[in-house]
Amino acid sequence: SDALLPPDASSMHETAALISSPIGVLAILCAVAGFFFYLEQATRAKLFQYVPPLLFIYITPVILSNVSLGGASIIPNQSIIYSGLSTFALPAFIVLMLIKVDVPAVIRIMGKGVLVMLMGTAGVMAGGVISYMIVHRWLSDDAWMGFGTLAGSWIGGTANMAATKEMLGTSSELFGLAVIADNAIYIVWLPLLLVSRNFADRFNKWARVPPERLAAMEAAAELHVEEEHPPTMPEYIFLAAIVIGVTWMGIALAPGISQWIGTSFEPLAPVFGESTTRILLVTTTALLLSATPVSRLPNSTAMGTALVYIFVAGIGARAEIAGLAQAPAFLLGAFIWIFIHGAFCLAGAWIFRVDVHSVAIASAANIGAAASAPIVAAHHKPSLVPVSVLMALLGYAMGNYLAPLTGYLAKFAVGQ
């Protein structure tokens, strides 16, 4: 990884590009991310309901850095900006996303629906391993990293996918396959979650849902009040101090802790590299902060999400188009994988006697994260929209721990 290289070492690999200055490259990445969200809001095109801006934000820099105009690409494949995003922006958005996790509120409102989400998470982990065992023969030997990266998205969200990429050392090309598979599955899975509302009575009868469950869930949701207010200048300073402080702590402590793990527990040395240790430190610290008044600082989730999309654009700029040739086999694995996740969700619904609305929201919180869970909740039960976001954040809390584990389990399962 170029994440920890000095600026001059990263810059030495830059190829001829029309825009090669670091600030120019960053401006292009921000412009690409901003353009597709503007296009989504300005046109209200139905396309973006099924193909989220994320795919375009990844693919566009791939084109800009690979297509040659007069012997030069628009932006380079290598830049100090890309390594800077890995080192500084990634831990920053992890903190911004995770300080809003509210586990007690999710349990209070969704009850056993949380257990179904955990079953869905187990389904993502098991599905990742099983599907990789089926399709790995048609993939490169390092494709398990791509599966672990996709698990990051399906356990938590895009932020976890980006973090898992760094922890596993996933190539930009395999990350691209994960993005493509993520969006292809989304196109199929989201309509299934939405249409499941039409079968609510039959599903709830099959799952033996207690009649009082829905009423209790609605009552608990009404008691949950989100107190958001316009951010003030001091709150932005507090937020900046926390984010930068936790990022600095992770960067400062990770080398020593990683070295200690490698020395004391030698078999774990390949797993707990410096990048992995840094991200896990930041993740754990952010989750601890979520139980403090820090969680009441406004606007952190929106700021974190913005950084995630700029980071994804940077990953796209590093990718080589030739590396996407494995897409058919990777997609086949993803389709096998998602139906294993679905089977686990159905098993959870029957075991815990949970309604179809909670099951759909739980699956959306896993597979689609904070972008999709509110869409599914609004279609099934509008009163559950706020808690659907909290459920998605619960997935964010688990993703950085469980997604890399899924990748390694897939690797070990096929003896690689």
Side-chain angles (χ1 to χ4, degrees):
S1 173
D2 285 340
L4 300 179
L5 290 176
D8 57 340
S10 180
S11 300
M12 286 191 299
H13 299 290
E14 292 184 14
T15 56
L18 298 178
I19 300 172
S20 58
S21 69
I23 194 64
V25 172
L26 182 58
I28 292 295
L29 299 181
C30 293
V32 167
F35 171 75
F36 285 106
F37 280 107
Y38 171 78
L39 196 63
E40 178 193 33
Q41 294 177 1
T43 64
R44 302 289 179 184
K46 286 190 176 181
L47 169 68
F48 290 109
Q49 294 179 17
Y50 298 99
V51 185
L54 173 68
L55 181 63
F56 300 102
I57 290 170
Y58 174 82
I59 291 293
T60 302
V62 173
I63 297 170
L64 295 179
S65 63
N66 281 274
V67 175
S68 179
L69 296 175
S73 60
I74 304 297
I75 57 176
N77 276 117
Q78 298 293 331
S79 170
I80 185 177
I81 286 298
Y82 308 149
S83 56
L85 288 172
S86 295
T87 305
F88 304 112
L90 189 145
F93 67 63
I94 289 173
V95 178
L96 288 165
M97 302 291 281
L98 292 184
I99 59 174
K100 286 292 186 181
V101 174
D102 190 344
V103 177
V106 177
I107 295 173
R108 186 169 61 250
I109 299 171
M110 297 302 291
K112 291 181 179 179
V114 176
L115 298 178
V116 175
M117 181 181 175
L118 295 178
M119 281 288 288
T121 300
V124 171
M125 297 182 70
V129 175
I130 294 169
S131 61
Y132 186 69
M133 290 173 68
I134 295 171
V135 303
H136 79 278
R137 70 198 68 182
W138 301 298
L139 297 169
S140 60
D141 289 344
D142 62 348
W144 63 271
M145 299 179 185
F147 271 60
T149 299
L150 182 55
S153 179
W154 285 0
I155 292 173
T158 306
N160 300 107
M161 180 161 60
T164 305
K165 176 208 179 298
E166 294 298 314
M167 285 191 275
L168 296 181
T170 309
S171 69
S172 296
E173 292 76 25
L174 283 170
F175 183 88
L177 292 177
V179 170
I180 292 169
D182 191 17
N183 284 272
I185 295 301
Y186 184 87
I187 293 171
V188 175
W189 199 245
L190 179 63
L192 289 176
L193 296 180
L194 295 175
V195 80
S196 66
R197 187 188 69 170
N198 300 336
F199 304 95
D201 292 338
R202 277 179 280 178
F203 185 98
N204 293 347
K205 183 178 179 181
W206 168 79
R208 304 158 297 131
V209 179
E212 66 274 10
R213 172 172 167 76
L214 291 176
M217 194 165 58
E218 292 273 8
E222 289 178 7
L223 293 175
H224 178 72
V225 180
E226 289 279 333
E227 294 185 4
E228 279 287 353
H229 60 273
T232 63
M233 183 273 292
E235 286 173 329
Y236 274 130
I237 293 177
F238 298 153
L239 194 58
I242 290 164
V243 170
I244 294 171
V246 174
T247 299
W248 166 74
M249 179 211 69
I251 292 172
L253 297 181
I257 295 176
S258 175
Q259 186 177 8
W260 174 78
I261 293 174
T263 304
S264 305
F265 309 95
E266 195 170 335
L268 296 178
V271 176
F272 288 92
E274 195 169 318
S275 292
T276 299
T277 305
R278 182 173 72 251
I279 291 169
L280 292 179
L281 272 173
V282 170
T283 298
T284 304
T285 304
L287 288 174
L288 292 173
L289 289 173
S290 72
T292 72
V294 167
S295 65
R296 294 198 290 269
L297 290 172
N299 221 29
S300 67
T301 303
M303 294 171 65
T305 305
L307 283 177
V308 169
Y309 285 112
I310 295 169
F311 183 86
V312 168
I315 295 174
R318 284 180 271 185
E320 300 282 351
I321 292 178
L324 303 180
Q326 303 179 74
F330 202 100
L331 280 172
L332 174 61
F335 275 102
I336 296 170
W337 188 348
I338 194 65
F339 284 105
I340 294 173
H341 159 78
F344 270 71
C345 288
L346 291 176
W350 194 87
I351 293 169
F352 301 115
R353 304 171 70 177
V354 171
D355 59 282
V356 71
H357 313 298
S358 299
V359 174
I361 294 169
S363 179
N366 270 149
I367 304 304
S372 301
I375 296 173
V376 175
H379 186 72
H380 278 262
K381 288 280 182 183
S383 61
L384 297 179
V385 169
V387 76
S388 71
V389 177
L390 295 179
M391 285 190 79
L393 291 176
L394 180 60
Y396 276 128
M398 298 185 291
N400 288 356
Y401 302 103
L402 300 181
L405 176 60
T406 303
Y408 281 112
L409 289 175
K411 175 187 179 183
F412 297 145
V414 299
Q416 288 180 336

